[in-house]
Amino acid sequence: MLRLQELTKTYKTGDQALKAINLDVPKGQVLALIGPSGAGKSTMIRCINRLVEPTSGAVMLDDTDLTKLGSGGLRKARREMGMIFQEYALVERLTVMENVLSGRLGYVGFWRSFLRRYPQSDVDEAFRLLDRVGLLHMADKRADELSGGQRQRVGICRALIQNPKLLLVDEPTASLDPKTSRQIMRLITELCQERGLAAIINIHDVALAQMFVPRVVGLRFGEIVYDGLPTGLTPDKLTEIYGEEDWEATIEKVDEDEEIEAAE
Ligand SMILES: Nc1ncnc2c1ncn2[C@@H]1O[C@H](COP(=O)(O)OP(=O)(O)OP(=O)(O)O)[C@@H](O)[C@H]1O
Ligand SMILES: [Mg+2]
């Protein structure tokens, strides 16, 4: 469904963030993209929906090469790709409901959205989504009154109300505590399953990725150095992806967290 062919990005500064990446993501598959800081994870996600312009290569979404689209075509194609960010990117002074509905901007046209007149069907869907993520009672709260986990749930609803085929998720849990991080990862992966959505989830927490996704892609210096099952990520493989680091220690720490959670 999504196919990256020789996808390359060299920034003006000369940084080679992606080096001829080839990657296939089948319909409905959720994968985690891991790798050290600067490996090119965000660049890859952003090149797919062209928030960053690729230098060369193709991004095939079904039969369309997104790198070839003009602004009208790109606007339509972006409806198919929901984006979820680390920093949530909510509009602080708007309500939860309004933030969710803003996900429909690609559909309703400028004036209707400016006047905030969304079709009733959109409003109904927003209520359904908020209910699904456990925030129905918060629909009228302002975004700046929410906790980090609640904000990310709103971000998830806003991405899903676009009715995308693919979710592009950049460090969804980086600002959250460990327990909330697990809840958010669980929610994202469950929603993908319910809706048959494919997703690429950038995540630096390896143990968290291993808990929730069936496929892990490891990026280092703009190249794919691992693509396989989460269980195949041996300490050696992790060292290959991240360089020298004490992985045993990281994993033990997560086990402790789990025990604390279980005891609660
Ligand atoms: N706007 C930019 N201009 C120039 N270089 C950039 C820009 N954005 C990223 N880079 C460079 O491209 C490389 C990849 O960066 P990217 O942000 O994609 O990494 P990342 O894997 O998402 O890292 P992190 O885990 O820290 O978010 C880095 O060397 C970075 O310095
Ligand atoms: Mg990043």
Side-chain angles (χ1 to χ4, degrees):
M1 187 207 57
L2 178 75
R3 169 168 289 178
L4 309 183
Q5 294 171 326
E6 304 288 313
L7 185 66
T8 299
K9 174 65 186 179
T10 309
Y11 285 104
K12 284 200 194 88
T13 49
D15 281 289
Q16 271 200 303
L18 297 177
K19 298 173 189 163
I21 295 285
N22 290 296
L23 184 73
D24 269 1
V25 186
K27 188 176 181 303
Q29 187 180 68
V30 177
L31 71 82
L33 189 60
I34 64 168
S37 185
K41 304 181 299 294
S42 297
T43 302
M44 184 157 134
I45 287 224
R46 285 161 183 265
C47 279
I48 293 172
N49 64 7
R50 283 180 54 193
L51 285 177
V52 165
E53 281 297 337
T55 308
S56 62
V59 177
M60 304 299 299
L61 185 63
D62 293 325
D63 297 325
T64 309
D65 182 354
L66 303 183
T67 66
K68 300 269 186 323
L69 295 176
S71 58
L74 184 59
R75 196 173 115 104
K76 280 211 186 92
R78 279 186 177 150
R79 294 176 185 169
E80 319 260 281
M81 299 179 279
M83 183 115 191
I84 298 171
F85 304 89
Q86 169 188 342
E87 63 281 10
Y88 326 114
L90 303 182
V91 184
E92 301 293 333
R93 62 187 171 77
L94 294 186
T95 65
V96 164
M97 177 51 100
E98 286 166 328
N99 270 286
V100 174
L101 283 170
S102 73
R104 296 297 295 176
L105 284 182
Y107 288 91
V108 295
F110 177 75
W111 283 109
R112 266 183 110 166
S113 59
F114 181 74
L115 297 168
R116 302 206 205 117
R117 287 211 195 117
Y118 292 92
Q120 189 59 40
S121 55
D122 289 357
V123 177
D124 292 345
E125 176 64 4
F127 276 125
R128 270 196 295 275
L129 284 166
L130 285 171
D131 192 23
R132 172 63 185 83
V133 304
L135 285 184
L136 193 53
H137 60 295
M138 299 238 164
D140 293 328
K141 277 218 170 205
R142 272 172 56 136
D144 54 12
E145 296 170 332
L146 303 182
S147 70
Q150 291 166 341
R151 293 161 74 87
Q152 193 54 289
R153 286 165 201 269
V154 176
I156 292 167
C157 291
R158 182 186 49 195
L160 290 178
I161 203 169
Q162 272 182 247
N163 203 16
K165 294 186 207 169
L166 171 69
L167 280 184
L168 300 171
V169 191
D170 201 352
E171 302 279 8
T173 62
S175 316
L176 305 174
D177 64 69
K179 185 173 174 182
T180 309
S181 295
R182 282 194 290 277
Q183 290 169 342
I184 291 293
M185 274 299 280
R186 188 172 296 125
L187 185 62
I188 292 174
T189 48
E190 278 176 5
L191 283 163
C192 285
Q193 212 164 25
E194 285 166 23
R195 296 172 161 242
L197 278 177
I200 300 181
I201 307 178
N202 272 359
I203 187 155
H204 63 230
D205 185 334
V206 178
L208 194 58
Q210 284 175 310
M211 260 181 248
F212 291 103
V213 302
R215 179 183 179 192
V216 176
V217 171
L219 210 57
R220 178 167 198 185
F221 299 134
E223 289 175 310
I224 292 177
V225 294
Y226 182 85
D227 185 353
L229 296 173
T231 46
L233 284 170
T234 57
D236 281 354
K237 286 281 172 207
L238 287 168
T239 306
E240 198 179 320
I241 301 169
Y242 284 90
E244 292 302 323
E245 226 176 294
D246 189 358
W247 290 106
E248 304 290 344
T250 317
I251 286 161
E252 269 166 32
K253 189 176 157 299
V254 169
D255 286 346
E256 277 167 28
D257 277 350
E258 285 292 316
E259 277 162 28
I260 293 164
E261 191 178 334
E264 274 167 5

